[in-house]
Amino acid sequence: MTTERPTSSAYLQRPARVALFSGNYNCTLDGANKTLNRLVDHLQSQAGVQVRIYSPTAPKPAFAPVGELVSVPSFAIPLRPEYRVAMGLPRHIQQDVRAFKPDIIHLSAPDLLGSAAQSLARKLDVPVVASLHTHFESYLDYYGLGLLKPWMERRLAAFYNGCDYVLAPNPSIAEQVQRDSPAARARVWARGVEPQLFNPERRSDAWRRAHGFEDDRPVVVFLGRVVMEKGLGVFVETIQALEAARGPVQVLVVGDGPALPWFRERLPDAVFTGFLSGDALATAIASGDIFFNPSSTETFGNVNLEAMASGLAMVCADAPNCRVLVEPGRTGILCRSHDPGAYADAILSLMDDPARRLAMGRAAHLESAAYLWPRILDQMVGVYREAMAAPRPGLRARASGRRLLEPAYGGLTAAGPLPGE
């Protein structure tokens, strides 16, 4: 007598489980961490996914994390104590992961923790999805370690080659990942913006005057973590070139970081607000006129998108993260990454042509509407679904017994093995 195979309606359904490994989930408040926390909130509240986060934690975290965070043993990086490093996955953390029984292991950094989690995923035969947030190899030049770049590039290529899917923030980086790590499936996962928060209506003449800015002179804005790899040296040289050509320049610096004293010393006439968030941040950005970002180390540049949504004309590095957002001549101007003279000429051209500056700001605002967070975050849900559906050697029964549902808002569920298997 044979046993009839159950139909799909007999599958035991449960929410999908994602184990997210982060090198720095809430130790500092930067674009990558904000994105990951936003993703976890979306997965849990909108897509019905259970998430467990494994990350180093700091004695004084920068903000309260979203989701269930498991602290991985770590130590602070010398000279940069706001960042921490985990040396791998201790046995008790591995046991916690096994008990969680993830359907997806998501890696957000190619560090020792990510590599250890990747190895564990292979033992568990769980698909690995990696999201790329930072050009780590580009940081080396800013710390006198440029000779290590070829080694770092080889290591990154090997790491991503060991993943099933790699989420790159723009098409250019996705193409590079696919060339360097052909075993992985590269996908594009951009970033989003909150239009109800970042928009031109936040502009405030009263705010400008309260900070000493004159109404009839444009304000050049810097936004981001104040660290050298954000192009601070080029920013300073550009402002100095502008002042040599035209006199004092109104500069607004929004952000904080270890290089803030260095930045203040070289821009003594700039207005420094320190770290801002929420309405205060949105008002500050919208009250500027020209957004200047010479950094070429970001993979996407969330700050660019926030400035565009706020209606600012853009002057940015001609780098992949900026090319995907800024259309030269329409929403802004792209310049050679390390050329203060080119940046100064671009900013001067916008200072001297208010009509062009305003037109670029309006076009940038309209362009930002294509990057809404719910749509962007659902793209990750789609990749999870694709990864879970892909057959995997070694667990044929589990793969064949998994069923994905597609609720209206991109919900995600997984099934255990078929009864009797």
Side-chain angles (χ1 to χ4, degrees):
M1 180 179 179
T2 60
T3 301
E4 184 177 352
R5 187 180 181 88
T7 65
S8 61
S9 62
Y11 289 12
L12 177 62
Q13 299 294 320
R14 62 165 175 78
R17 297 174 184 149
V18 174
L20 171 62
F21 289 83
S22 169
N24 177 24
Y25 188 66
N26 72 324
C27 296
T28 62
L29 187 60
D30 58 22
N33 289 338
K34 289 192 290 186
T35 296
L36 290 174
N37 277 262
R38 188 183 293 274
L39 171 65
V40 171
D41 179 67
H42 182 84
L43 291 173
Q44 294 182 152
S45 64
Q46 304 297 331
V49 177
Q50 293 182 5
V51 186
R52 195 164 174 82
I53 306 104
Y54 300 87
S55 172
T57 56
K60 294 182 179 180
F63 60 96
V66 177
E68 190 172 4
L69 176 58
V70 177
S71 180
V72 178
S74 63
F75 63 89
I77 298 177
L79 304 180
R80 294 295 296 273
E82 72 272 23
Y83 291 107
R84 302 184 67 86
V85 173
M87 296 305 293
L89 276 180
R91 185 179 298 275
H92 73 282
I93 299 292
Q94 294 187 39
Q95 291 172 343
D96 189 280
V97 177
R98 291 176 183 272
F100 181 57
K101 297 181 179 179
D103 299 294
I104 296 285
I105 284 183
H106 181 159
L107 311 177
S108 68
D111 54 7
L112 295 174
L113 176 61
S115 295
Q118 189 181 69
S119 297
L120 179 60
R122 293 311 174 210
K123 295 176 184 176
L124 300 177
D125 199 24
V126 174
V128 177
V129 172
S131 53
L132 199 156
H133 298 268
T134 304
H135 271 311
F136 289 99
E137 66 276 26
S138 67
Y139 283 14
L140 298 175
D141 290 331
Y142 289 91
Y143 296 97
L145 300 172
L147 292 176
L148 295 177
K149 186 178 290 187
W151 170 82
M152 175 68 83
E153 291 173 343
R154 290 193 298 271
R155 188 191 180 284
L156 292 174
F159 175 83
Y160 291 120
N161 206 48
C163 300
D164 295 293
Y165 290 83
V166 177
L167 281 298
N170 64 63
S172 177
I173 295 177
E175 291 173 4
Q176 179 183 339
V177 167
Q178 200 67 80
R179 288 194 306 269
D180 296 342
S181 307
R185 300 177 179 90
R187 300 287 186 270
V188 175
W189 182 45
R191 304 294 183 263
V193 70
E194 298 176 76
Q196 69 276 17
L197 180 62
F198 297 101
N199 61 73
E201 295 180 4
R202 296 279 183 169
R203 184 179 179 88
S204 169
D205 290 337
W207 188 94
R208 286 169 61 99
R209 293 166 191 154
H211 287 79
F213 294 125
E214 298 177 15
D215 291 350
D216 59 348
R217 294 173 57 219
V219 173
V220 178
V221 180
F222 172 93
L223 169 64
R225 273 186 54 75
V226 185
V227 290
M228 296 307 297
E229 57 266 27
K230 299 301 183 183
L232 302 189
V234 175
F235 190 99
V236 167
E237 290 181 43
T238 300
I239 298 302
Q240 291 173 343
L242 287 169
E243 291 179 336
R246 195 60 64 86
V249 177
Q250 298 193 131
V251 177
L252 171 64
V253 176
V254 181
D256 198 356
L260 186 59
W262 183 95
F263 214 23
R264 281 184 179 274
E265 182 180 351
R266 287 156 180 80
L267 296 175
D269 297 323
V271 173
F272 288 81
T273 68
F275 173 79
L276 297 177
S277 63
D279 292 341
L281 172 62
T283 297
I285 299 174
S287 298
D289 300 281
I290 300 169
F291 188 73
F292 177 28
N293 183 7
S295 174
S296 58
T297 60
E298 286 94 353
T299 57
F300 184 81
N302 302 54
V303 296
N304 291 344
L305 193 53
E306 291 169 356
M308 292 174 64
S310 301
L312 272 62
M314 310 292 289
V315 175
C316 300
D318 188 6
N321 63 298
C322 297
R323 289 186 212 117
V324 73
L325 291 173
V326 179
E327 182 179 340
R330 192 175 76 87
T331 61
I333 302 173
L334 298 179
C335 302
R336 291 185 298 275
S337 297
H338 303 288
D339 190 340
Y343 286 124
D345 289 343
I347 294 173
L348 278 174
S349 71
L350 295 178
M351 287 180 169
D352 292 340
D353 192 344
R356 183 182 181 220
R357 186 175 71 239
L358 291 172
M360 282 187 173
R362 286 192 293 268
H365 171 68
L366 293 174
E367 185 69 23
S368 71
Y371 296 87
L372 302 182
W373 271 119
R375 183 188 309 166
I376 297 296
L377 296 172
D378 271 341
Q379 292 175 353
M380 182 62 79
V381 176
V383 172
Y384 286 165
R385 181 178 291 115
E386 185 179 351
M388 290 170 61
R392 301 188 56 75
L395 278 182
R396 182 198 57 79
R398 177 178 172 185
S400 63
R402 181 179 286 128
R403 182 186 179 201
L404 300 178
L405 301 182
E406 308 234 9
Y409 198 62
L412 187 61
T413 61
L418 289 168
E421 292 191 331

